[in-house]
Structure formats: structure tokens, C-alpha cells
Amino acid sequence: MAMTAVAAPSMRPWRRQMGVPRWGAVVGLAVERRLEAERDQLVLWLPVMLGGGIALWFALPDPAAWCVTILLLVASGLACLALGRGGRAARALAVGLLTSALGLGLVWARSEVVARPVLAGPTIASFSAKVEGIEPLVARKLVRLTVLPIGKGVETDGQPVALPYRVRVNLAEADAPHLLGIGAVVHLRARLMPPPLPAVPGAYDFARVAWFGGIGATGRGFAPVIVTTPSDSGAGVRVALSHHIVSRLDGSAGGIAAALATGDVGAISEEDSEAMRRAGLAHLLSVSGLHITVAVAATMVIVLRLLALSPWLALHTRLPLIAALAGAAAAIGYTLLTGSQVPTIRSCVAALLVLAALAMGREAMTLRLVAAGAACVMLVLPESAAGPSFQLSFAAITAIMALHEHPVIRVVLGPHDEGRGRKLARAVASLLLTGLLVEVALMPIAVYHFHKAGVYGAFANIVAIPLTTFVVMPLEALALLLDAVGVGAPIWWLVQRSLDALLWLAHIVASAPGAVRSLPGMSTAAFALMIVGGIWIALWRTRWRRLGLIPLAAGAIWALTTPLPDVLVTGDGRHVAVRTAAGLAMLRDRAGDYTRDMLAENGGVDGEPLLLADQPDARCSRDLCVTDIVARRRTWRILATRSAFMVPIAAFIAACHTADIVVSERGLPKRCVPRWLKLDRRVLRRTGGVALTLRTGTVVTILNAGDRHPWRDPPVLARTVHSFGSRQIRSHNARWVSRAHRARFYQDDHAKAQR
């Protein structure tokens, strides 16, 4: 029978098969094909959208905006499902929008769950409290206590004062009693303050951290500290182990060794800590993936080798599974021992997922592992997504996984049948390339949060990571084991030498010319563009990942072209930094180290700021300082008070009229009317710290009208009635007093108490 040849049926899917709506058929079909090719990567965007919802909560100002945004996200997600006709793009967009709504709701709910009233204003009180946590700060000769007050406190005038649920207090080492331990009840006297706002825009926001930590006051305790009920458990295993390690080593080497074992960095001197940061080695001091990996791998190898000594166990049991269970126990124990910080929790979750995958015979080290870890952390601690620890940790591991999953990198740097020399060269190249990529990935985050970025970190890590992984940590573990029988001294000597070499490397790299690049605080929008671009490049696998270069480049250009602030004013009005022709100069010479460093960092300066009185374009007396700045083709005159002493009113009023900007820590008379801006005590109560960029006319403040985030305007404890002649401060004034004092009393006194 004759047969008629026919063309094979086309395998190209119809438009309706992909669920493309009639509108935008061409664009929709192109998007559907891209998503079909990237279908395995879509799940990686779930934690990204969850984090996006959390970021929206921090960016939007008040509950009304949060409610509207949640409703819009949910409505848009449901609309995508209804109108998308089953397309992959519609489903993916719907799931992403609903996940963002979940993230926004989670962090909002978390902020309500942890809500606690804060102290109304600065006070000196005596009170009893239960010790919840102890953190030795050996390098500063301090002991930091987290305590839970019992009942009310008593002020110096005998009046009772209500205290918040949790208080953080620093004690001098000499004032800490020997019986002090977790669970002990102590009676002490302390100078307490509400959690402070950032001193200037872009500075560290301790108020936000304290809100989610339930801390309602912080300050400095005084002797004597009396233990009324001793602790049953002492200071805890973590503190005891840290003390033991520090006692075995000299200088900051003991602090680094303690950080590797327990996560306690209090014994590292500020000089060495700064050198580690500038050299790009600070990640070694934060217990994270490297440390967890070493602990799990060492545990598995030891358990596996020991069990393999028994022929019966080797023949009748799955030794790798038993070793994996031991490794999981080691990861969990190590996480608990080191204080369960965000990087440690992320690394522990990742380690557990890797062990589970190995036990099931699946590929373990993938971006899905990173996504699962990020989702777990954000579901439990959604506020951590806004912190630098979370962002740095996940940015680093995402960059590493994305790099080594790339097909070209797998071919070039993957296993090869070659000699030892070539293997070593390939390993060094892999380490260098990975380090460079991590430095690039972390640079926007470091600049956004810390206003600094290291340059030579990738090269320093080529030596530092192998030294820490294969020398320091194994030797330290061996020394601790040998200390059980009292013969660990020789091994501790080797640990000392290796850590001295690590510190030497840090100082050499940190002191190299151009080791650190300082930049002013970038716009949040510019930072968001770079983050979105980086994530887009890391998570997709087809050519359209290159589209991520557009927002990445736009954000980078925006950040690099952001002008330096010309004037920085702290929330109390005491400290002013002005950008002169010679550089950033401070108004007062008597400023603490914390204040100097904070103003320098936020002013984009690497090093100590200058003194304004020493500048040729400034005219300063003991009480006043006047300087001129040229910006926007005109000269701006700035007048600032330097002391609390009164000056002749007529001369001061005349100086006000000739100045463009007047800054003072006190309330200025109404007749003081500068040409542009007056920042006195009354104004700074409403604004907090201020950053001025004269060339663009930009004014950035800490406190903004309409901002209703709970740590900006928290509930405060009622104050008792205090009489001052015919005037009284009553409990209904507590909220005003709290906000005013948080802005006014933050600087040097609080810095001394905290540091």
C-alpha cells in the first residue's frame, strides 16, 4: 500500500498552552519562555520576596501605609492568578507578591510581640535585678550585664522609678563580684538612659536593635554590686571557656582564639580589631560558615575513623550516617555555645541541610540550600534582614554558590586529573577569584552600613583563611583537649605564634596605602538598586541575568556621585563637623573617641577629623566659632556655640543675622534669625541629628514627621512627680521627655557607658 509522507508534528507549544493572555502576546510569550528555561531557579526568589516585604515595612512610615501595602500586595497577587490564565509568569508573580505581604506582616507582628516600654529619661537609680547574660569585655576592662529588674528602682532623691523589662549595664571589671553568674540576683546602682537614637544620619541605630531585643534602658553601673542570691550555674559555659582561652594566650591573640571558640570578641583590643576590619579579615571573628564547616568536618572525620576501627560496626551500620548525626550535633552545640548569632544560625541551618542532603544521596551545596537558610532565619527573626550581619553573611555565601555553580567555573576550577603543582595553582586561583567576588559583593553593604570598604581583603584572605582553617582552629581544639589532662601548654604556644602571624598580616594589609575606601552614606534607593541587580545576576542562569547589570551600575553610579555632607550636627547639638578646605573639622576638641570615629565615618573620612579652631578660614573663641564654606557658587557662613556660657546678647544677635546656619546645644532667643537654618535645642528635639549638603541643598534628619516605627516613638514608663519650686514634671510628660533626652544625652556620656 502506498504511504504518503507527512511532516512530523511541531513540538512548539501553542500560545494557549503557556497560558499567555491575549494582550501583550509577543512580550508574554518571550517572558514565558525565559521562565520555562529558568523554572528550577524560581524557588530561589521566595526568600528574596520575603525579604522585600520586610524591607517595605522598614521603608514605609506608619501602620496605615503598612496596611495599605499588605492589601495591595494581596490584591495584586490574587489579580495575577485571576487574569493570568495559568501562565507561569502570572503564578510566579502572584506567589512573589503574596510572599512579600507575608514578610511585611511577619516583621510587623514581630515588632508588636517584642514591644516593651522604655525608660522615660536619664536617671540614676538603685535597683535589684536578675542576671540574664554576662559578656566580658576584657580589652576594655568591662563586664556587660543584661539584667531583668525586679520591682521598681529608687532614684537618688528617694523617689521610686519604674524600670523597663530588660536593662543592659556595663560594669568595671574591678566592680564585678566573684559570685556574679547567670541567674544570680544582684543589687546595684546605675546611671541609665533610654536606648539612644543615631547621633547623625547614617550612624548606628541602637534604638532599633534594643527594641527588638527588649532592652528598655542602658548605661553604666557603679560599685558596690551586691549579689543577694548567688547563681547555681555560674557565668555559663561560654564565659568560662572564654576566660580559660584568654588566660592561656597573650594580648589580642587570646581574644581571637576566644572568638573562634565562643564568638566572644571582647578581649580583642580596639587597635587589632580595627586592623582586622581594614584588612578584610573581620569575618574570621564572627562565627559563621567557615567555623561551622570546620567543626562539622572535624567531628565527622573523627567519629568516622573511630567507628571504623570496629569491623562489626563497619559491616552492619551506615557509618557515614552516624558521622553525619554527630556532625549535626556538633553544629547545634557550637551554635548554642557561641550565642546563636544570625551568621551562626544561618550556617547551622545550612550545615544541617547539607548533612540531610548527603544522607539522602542528594547534591548538597546549592543555592537552594542558601535560600532555605535565609527563609528559616527570616521566618523566625524577620528584623535581622535589615541588619548588616544577615546581609553580609548571605551575600557572601550567595556569591560563592553562584560563582561555583556557573558551568564555565565548574569546567575551569573543577576537579582535574593533574599533578600536585597544577592542583595547588588551581586551588589558589579558585580562592583568589572567590575572594575577589566576595569583596565586590560585600562592598555595597559595607559602604551602606559602615561607610567603609576594604580593597585588599581578597589577597589577605588567601593566607588568612587557610591559616585559620588548617592551623589555628585544629591547634586550638587540640590544646583544649590536652588541657583536660594539663599538658596543653606546648600547643598553646603554637596557637600564640599562629595568631601573632595572623595579626601581623592584618596590620600589614591595613597599613598599606589605599587599603580602605571611605564613602559618605549612600541613598537607600541606590543601595536597593545594587542589591536587586546583584541578586538578579546571582539567581538566574540564562542570558537575561545580564539585565541585572543595569540596576547594579545605576546604583553604583548613584552611590559614587553622592556628595559628601558639608555639615554634621549631632542630636544634642554639642558636636558639629564642618567640611573645610583642609578636610572635615570638629567644633569641639573635647570629644570622645566614639564621637570622633562616628563623625569621621559618616563624613566619608578615613582617619581623625581636624579641629575647626585650627583652620585658617575659621574664627573661634572659647564660646563661639564662625567659619565660611563655599558651595553652589556662594559662601555659606556657619555660627556654632562651643560652650554653655552666655555671651553678650547684642553681639550674638548681630552674628546670627550675618550667618546662614546657626547651631547650638541650648535654646536660642527668637531674635536670633539666621538667613537659612537655625538648629538649636528646640529644633533638634524634633529632628534629631542633622546632615546638610550645601551644594545640593539637602537636609537629612534622624526624626521625620509621620515616622511611626515603634523605636522612633516608643511607649515610655510613667515618671513619678518631681517638684522644682512651683513647677512639676508629671507622668503625662514622659513621652516628650523621652524623645528630647534621647536626642540630647546620647553622645559622650552614653559612648563612655557603652564602650
Side-chain angles (χ1 to χ4, degrees), residues 392-623:
L392 291 169
S393 178
F394 280 98
I397 192 62
T398 300
I400 293 171
M401 289 291 99
L403 174 68
H404 290 278
E405 283 188 3
H406 196 282
V408 176
I409 299 299
R410 285 189 172 187
V411 172
V412 175
L413 299 180
H416 288 70
D417 186 11
E418 57 189 359
R420 292 183 178 180
R422 287 182 174 271
K423 280 187 177 180
L424 179 61
R426 201 179 299 275
V428 171
S430 175
L431 187 60
L432 178 59
L433 181 61
T434 302
L436 287 173
L437 179 65
V438 169
E439 288 294 328
V440 172
L442 300 186
M443 191 171 294
I445 303 173
V447 171
Y448 181 75
H449 290 285
F450 310 119
H451 315 295
K452 290 183 178 181
V455 177
Y456 306 138
F459 302 97
N461 278 289
I462 292 178
V463 177
I465 290 178
L467 177 62
T468 304
T469 305
F470 301 114
V471 179
V472 175
M473 295 186 70
L475 285 176
E476 184 177 352
L478 179 60
L480 290 172
L481 289 175
L482 293 179
D483 274 351
V485 293
V487 294
I491 308 302
W492 283 119
W493 183 87
L494 294 175
V495 175
Q496 179 78 54
R497 302 285 79 78
S498 58
L499 288 174
D500 287 343
L502 181 64
L503 286 170
W504 174 83
L505 173 66
H507 282 279
I508 289 296
V509 175
S511 60
V516 174
R517 175 72 187 273
S518 295
L519 293 171
M522 72 172 71
S523 165
T524 301
F527 178 63
L529 282 174
M530 286 190 282
I531 293 298
V532 169
I535 292 175
W536 187 276
I537 294 171
L539 298 191
W540 294 128
R541 284 293 169 265
T542 57
R543 291 182 178 179
W544 76 340
R545 70 190 304 182
R546 300 171 185 174
L547 294 176
L549 293 173
I550 298 175
L552 183 61
I557 294 172
W558 190 349
L560 291 173
T561 56
T562 300
L564 295 169
D566 296 298
V567 181
L568 292 172
V569 182
T570 59
D572 58 1
R574 284 178 50 83
H575 299 285
V576 180
V578 180
R579 192 167 306 282
T580 65
L584 192 71
M586 289 186 59
L587 174 68
R588 297 174 186 254
D589 52 352
R590 295 184 179 181
D593 293 337
Y594 175 81
T595 301
R596 290 177 176 274
D597 294 342
M598 177 269 301
L599 290 175
E601 288 178 1
N602 289 275
V605 174
D606 181 25
E608 285 283 328
L610 306 172
L611 182 60
L612 187 59
D614 296 336
Q615 304 310 307
D617 50 356
R619 301 174 299 282
C620 297
S621 66
R622 186 182 62 175
D623 303 314

Side-chain angles (χ1 to χ4, degrees), residues 734-746:
R735 184 180 299 276
W736 177 86
V737 172
S738 173
R739 293 191 67 169
H741 282 91
R742 283 203 306 276
R744 182 181 177 187
F745 291 97
Y746 168 59

Side-chain angles (χ1 to χ4, degrees), residues 88-413:
R88 191 183 295 277
R91 293 197 304 270
L93 186 58
V95 172
L97 292 171
L98 295 176
T99 304
S100 295
L102 174 63
L104 200 159
L106 275 176
V107 68
W108 188 3
R110 169 75 174 165
S111 71
E112 296 296 330
V113 168
V114 301
R116 303 279 185 179
V118 304
L119 193 67
T123 185
I124 298 178
S126 300
F127 58 97
S128 296
K130 182 178 181 180
V131 178
E132 185 183 42
I134 301 175
E135 182 182 357
L137 304 176
V138 179
R140 303 172 188 172
K141 297 183 178 180
L142 295 174
V143 176
R144 178 169 291 166
L145 302 181
T146 303
V147 299
L148 306 176
I150 301 173
K152 291 187 176 182
V154 179
E155 293 186 315
T156 53
D157 58 0
Q159 294 286 346
V161 58
L163 296 175
Y165 171 73
R166 182 177 285 115
V167 174
R168 200 177 77 174
V169 178
N170 287 346
L171 295 175
E173 281 185 344
D175 297 338
H178 295 294
L179 298 178
L180 190 64
I182 296 176
V185 178
V186 298
H187 186 80
L188 72 158
R189 179 170 166 267
R191 185 178 190 272
L192 301 177
M193 299 180 181
L197 296 170
V200 294
Y204 178 61
D205 193 350
F206 179 74
R208 186 185 72 189
V209 176
W211 176 263
F212 286 103
I215 299 173
T218 181
R220 182 68 179 263
F222 310 116
V225 179
I226 303 171
V227 178
T228 57
T229 303
S231 170
D232 296 331
S233 59
V237 177
R238 183 188 182 197
V239 175
L241 183 57
S242 294
H243 275 305
H244 176 76
I245 294 173
V246 171
S247 67
R248 293 289 182 173
L249 300 169
D250 298 329
S252 295
I256 296 176
L260 295 176
T262 67
D264 182 5
V265 297
I268 306 174
S269 69
E270 184 61 30
E271 180 184 0
D272 291 330
S273 181
E274 178 66 14
M276 295 286 285
R277 287 193 292 268
R278 292 173 65 90
L281 304 180
H283 65 94
L284 299 176
L285 307 179
S286 174
V287 178
S288 55
L290 174 66
H291 311 77
I292 293 288
T293 300
V294 172
V296 171
T299 302
M300 291 183 65
V301 170
I302 293 172
V303 170
L304 193 62
R305 294 297 176 87
L306 290 177
L307 293 180
L309 296 176
S310 170
W312 187 89
L313 288 175
L315 292 173
H316 295 85
T317 60
R318 292 184 59 188
L319 294 186
L321 181 59
I322 298 175
L325 293 175
I332 295 173
Y334 194 18
T335 300
L336 296 175
L337 177 64
T338 54
S340 302
Q341 301 299 318
V342 170
T344 319
I345 294 173
R346 187 269 303 166
S347 303
C348 181
V349 171
L352 296 179
L353 293 174
V354 168
L355 294 173
L358 292 175
M360 294 185 295
R362 302 288 297 274
E363 184 179 0
M365 301 302 295
T366 64
L367 280 173
R368 294 195 176 200
L369 172 73
V370 180
C376 291
V377 173
M378 286 188 288
L379 288 173
V380 178
L381 299 172
E383 73 277 6
S384 64
S389 178
F390 178 94
Q391 295 171 10
L392 291 169
S393 178
F394 280 98
I397 192 62
T398 300
I400 293 171
M401 289 291 99
L403 174 68
H404 290 278
E405 283 188 3
H406 196 282
V408 176
I409 299 299
R410 285 189 172 187
V411 172
V412 175
L413 299 180

Side-chain angles (χ1 to χ4, degrees), residues 14-21 32 83-88 90:
W14 299 348
R15 179 165 58 86
R16 189 173 296 278
Q17 282 181 308
M18 286 191 177
V20 181
E32 289 292 336
L83 303 176
R85 298 191 179 187
R88 191 183 295 277

